[in-house]
Amino acid sequence: MDIAAAPPKLFSPGYFSDPYPTLAALREAGSLVPHPHLGGPMLFRHAEVRALQRCPHLSKGMLRDGRMDGLSEDVQALVHENNARRDDSMLNVDPPRHSRLRGQAMSAFTLARMEALRPRIQAIADGLLDSLDGQDEIDIIRDFAFPLPATVIMELLGWPAEQREQLKRCTADAIEMLGSLRTSPDPLELARRAVASGRELRGIAHTLINQKREAPQDDFISALVSVQMAEDGRLNEDEVLATSTLLLAAGHETTTNLIGNGLLALLRNPDQMEKLRADPSLAASAVEEFLRYDPPVQMLARVASADFELGGKTIAAGTRLTLMLGSANRDPDHFPDPDRFDITRTLNDNFAFGFDRHLCLGAHLARIEGQIAITTLLRRFPRIALTGAPLVHFPNLAFRALKALPVLVSRA
Ligand code: HEM
């Protein structure tokens, strides 16, 4: 395939229903190929992403001022307005600020703490399915895959449960702005809506933080507020706000899609569904395979902060790199038979949770939620089948998410 003659078709509707054939063709054609709209080379191979893990010259902070080619000045201005608050969030900054911000949250998300949450997560999962009693057709995304992780993270952080739908709308707009500006028929409307939702979310968070300051409770936002009020001032108010909203959004959007994408893979591979039904102890390795086979986060971006060598090429300082995680996870040079969905795969060092210093802080929680979600669905519904309604993914380059996953279930 000649890349120059046939540029990557990342923006076609077909790409979003199944990106993997396009990614395979691009990976075979060569890596480190500049994409006209992504502002720099794309990396498709597992070995290249792995090599970057040890690279000291990668910046997220430098993404802040990048221009997005092909978008109008009005849209660029709104993107910049949104970016103005990036520096308060661990997700967007480099050391030493990153280490300080991440350090305040790390101890709350350890494996031991997350394991201790299993009974509560199980109770939430069962409660959600109890509330669907009598319904033979359900939308897995709306009825289960969204409310499960959303309820868990809101309880952990201390957000009032009644704000769930409002928070969902605000974070969905942010996610759409991150990955759909290029595919939207009206990028200006999308950018305006996302900026307004960002303001709305910060407003709610601001009120909540003030309440926690007045009357602290046993939750993570109260813990952050106490750090802010500590004499050494380890966090300022904007950082408490950014950490709270980051954890809220990151804590449910992607886990919803882990559950949705994973269940869809099982439905399309009934032998694997039967294997998991027969042996629920495979849940942990099944979830790793969900993460490899159809990862919720499809691409990451970095900027080279100095010249360095990668795959025999020089990456010049200032170059923006786009790491295609969905492609690296299907690289045949690393994973044997990569397009086969196999819940017993043993070598599964995939990049679904990113890498290096920004490695997902919530990975333990997400894995546990995924395991509980899938084993509970299979235990409660001896039969689950697709309804046959067309399945539609959001046209989002960064996040792989189904709009709905309607299924027919039987309880007997
Ligand atoms: C299956 C579910 C999830 C997936 C696939 C996922 C994926 C990722 C990825 C790829 C990154 C790295 C971003 C980058 O390098 O630019 C990341 C970072 C992060 N994730 Fe997750 N995530 C998931 C669930 C969660 C949960 C449940 C939480 C909440 C506790 C969470 C909190 C975070 C945070 C705070 C970061 C930023 C870490 C940093 O910058 O140091 N994630 N996640």
Side-chain angles (χ1 to χ4, degrees):
M1 179 178 170
D2 178 353
I3 290 281
K9 294 195 203 85
L10 294 182
F11 304 116
S12 68
Y15 179 81
F16 298 103
S17 66
D18 182 5
Y20 300 105
T22 306
L23 290 173
L26 291 166
R27 192 174 52 236
E28 277 157 32
S31 225
L32 292 167
V33 181
H35 186 284
H37 287 132
L38 298 178
M42 301 164 74
L43 278 69
F44 295 104
R45 299 202 173 124
H46 192 280
E48 289 159 349
V49 179
R50 200 177 47 219
L52 286 185
Q53 299 214 77
R54 292 177 294 277
C55 176
H57 307 305
L58 291 181
S59 165
K60 290 201 77 181
M62 288 169 73
L63 286 165
R64 187 180 201 270
D65 300 318
R67 282 185 58 80
M68 299 179 79
D69 292 343
L71 291 174
S72 71
E73 287 305 319
D74 290 351
V75 176
Q76 303 269 5
L78 287 163
V79 171
H80 276 270
E81 183 179 337
N82 226 33
N83 282 356
R85 297 173 193 274
R86 285 174 58 105
D87 289 359
D88 297 321
S89 162
M90 73 181 95
L91 186 62
N92 303 316
V93 294
D94 301 322
R97 191 165 190 173
H98 174 264
S99 326
R100 179 171 60 79
L101 292 174
R102 186 170 167 119
Q104 297 308 325
M106 261 163 62
S107 62
F109 291 91
T110 59
L111 179 58
R113 281 185 179 237
M114 297 302 104
E115 284 292 344
L117 288 178
R118 272 190 193 268
R120 178 64 194 137
I121 299 172
Q122 184 64 65
I124 297 169
D126 279 316
L128 287 167
L129 297 188
D130 288 346
S131 71
L132 301 173
D133 255 0
Q135 293 181 39
D136 298 334
E137 182 174 335
I138 60 178
D139 173 2
I140 291 290
I141 302 293
R142 180 196 61 206
D143 298 333
F144 187 67
F146 156 62
L148 173 62
T151 306
V152 173
I153 195 71
M154 287 175 73
E155 281 189 3
L156 266 176
L157 296 177
W159 288 82
E162 61 274 14
Q163 290 178 344
R164 195 175 75 193
E165 296 302 320
Q166 186 184 8
L167 296 174
K168 166 75 191 160
R169 181 175 44 75
C170 293
T171 55
D173 285 344
I175 295 278
E176 201 180 335
M177 172 127 155
L178 278 174
S180 296
L181 273 179
R182 308 266 175 212
T183 57
S184 169
D186 191 347
L188 187 56
E189 182 279 331
L190 165 52
R192 281 190 181 131
R193 180 161 39 87
V195 167
S197 287
R199 271 195 217 116
E200 183 180 341
L201 181 59
R202 283 191 298 278
I204 310 171
H206 185 69
T207 307
L208 186 67
I209 287 166
N210 283 340
Q211 287 165 357
K212 306 274 178 200
R213 191 174 294 121
E214 294 299 313
Q217 288 165 327
D218 184 17
D219 58 46
F220 185 65
I221 296 184
S222 298
L224 282 179
V225 169
S226 71
V227 170
Q228 182 208 338
M229 296 194 309
E231 280 193 358
D232 55 1
R234 271 166 285 165
L235 288 182
N236 65 37
E237 173 133 4
D238 289 339
E239 291 167 343
V240 172
L241 199 141
T243 305
S244 307
T245 51
L246 169 67
L247 285 166
L248 172 79
H252 75 273
E253 284 284 351
T254 42
T255 314
T256 299
N257 301 321
L258 165 67
I259 299 166
N261 298 353
L263 181 66
L264 179 59
L266 288 174
L267 288 163
R268 286 177 168 166
N269 295 272
D271 61 318
Q272 299 298 304
M273 170 94 89
E274 284 320 306
K275 212 178 251 186
L276 186 53
R277 278 192 190 283
D279 182 1
S281 75
L282 289 173
S285 90
V287 166
E288 292 315 300
E289 184 66 345
F290 299 169
L291 289 162
R292 182 197 72 85
Y293 186 77
D294 205 9
V297 179
Q298 287 277 319
M299 58 166 71
L300 299 179
R302 299 288 190 268
V303 175
S305 56
D307 292 0
F308 65 90
E309 293 289 312
L310 181 67
K313 296 185 185 172
T314 301
I315 308 291
T319 304
R320 183 190 161 110
L321 297 165
T322 303
L323 287 64
M324 304 301 284
L325 304 182
S327 169
N329 282 4
R330 298 259 194 138
D331 186 344
D333 288 342
H334 189 74
F335 296 108
D337 204 358
D339 294 328
R340 189 161 56 85
F341 175 68
D342 177 0
I343 62 165
T344 60
R345 207 175 265 279
T346 42
L347 169 76
N348 210 337
D349 53 343
N350 64 75
F351 290 111
F353 287 121
F355 65 101
D356 212 23
R357 68 173 78 99
H358 291 279
L359 187 72
C360 177
L361 188 77
H364 299 312
L365 176 59
R367 286 185 164 112
I368 290 169
E369 289 175 329
Q371 292 162 19
I372 291 176
I374 212 69
T375 49
T376 308
L377 284 172
L378 298 194
R379 174 170 54 77
R380 299 279 299 253
F381 302 133
R383 192 170 163 276
I384 310 178
L386 290 167
T387 61
L391 295 175
V392 182
H393 287 83
F394 284 96
N396 193 311
L397 288 167
F399 296 94
R400 183 137 172 83
L402 283 160
K403 289 189 172 175
L405 180 55
V407 294
L408 297 169
V409 295
S410 72
R411 294 172 178 80

